[in-house]
Structure formats: structure tokens, C-alpha cells
Amino acid sequence: MDDQVAVDAKRILLRYGVPISVLDQIDVKSRIQYARQVSRTQLSDREPRLRELLTEGGYLEA
């Protein structure tokens, strides 16, 4: 896995509101998957969609 992809995924997740404490719990492969899904989402829906994904993944409480 390319390190730059992992770094970019981390930046995307942070940009759209993932708390650092939660980000540290997410493995690199999942970070990349979440970042890809969020980047394909309409701009205005990215933050809510990311929170939804993280809740489904068990990283955030509803």
C-alpha cells in the first residue's frame, strides 16, 4: 500500500470531522476505504456520510 495514499486518506478524514482519538483506532486499510467513499459523496453530504460510516463501523456512537 502506498504511504502517500494512507497520508491523504488520513487528511481527508480529519478534514471532514473525524476526531483524532477515533482516527487512531481505525486501521490504515479502513481509513482508505472511508476516504474513498467520502470523496465520492457530494460535497455538502460528506461530513454526515462519514459520521454515518463511522457509526456503522462501530467507531462512533449514534
Side-chain angles (χ1 to χ4, degrees):
M1 187 120 359
D2 187 11
D3 288 336
Q4 188 59 44
V5 173
V7 170
D8 288 343
K10 187 174 185 177
R11 287 181 182 152
I12 289 169
L13 297 179
L14 287 170
R15 178 179 297 142
Y16 292 108
V18 176
I20 293 173
S21 61
V22 172
L23 187 64
D24 290 341
Q25 297 173 15
I26 304 171
D27 63 274
V28 174
K29 185 176 178 181
S30 295
R31 286 180 190 175
I32 293 169
Q33 290 174 343
Y34 290 141
R36 285 181 176 160
Q37 289 180 341
V38 167
S39 67
R40 293 182 182 137
T41 304
Q42 186 176 2
L43 186 59
S44 62
D45 297 330
R46 287 182 180 178
E47 187 173 342
R49 177 65 179 140
L50 181 56
R51 291 202 174 274
E52 180 180 302
L53 290 169
L54 293 173
T55 301
E56 290 172 3
Y59 296 106
L60 293 177
E61 294 182 18

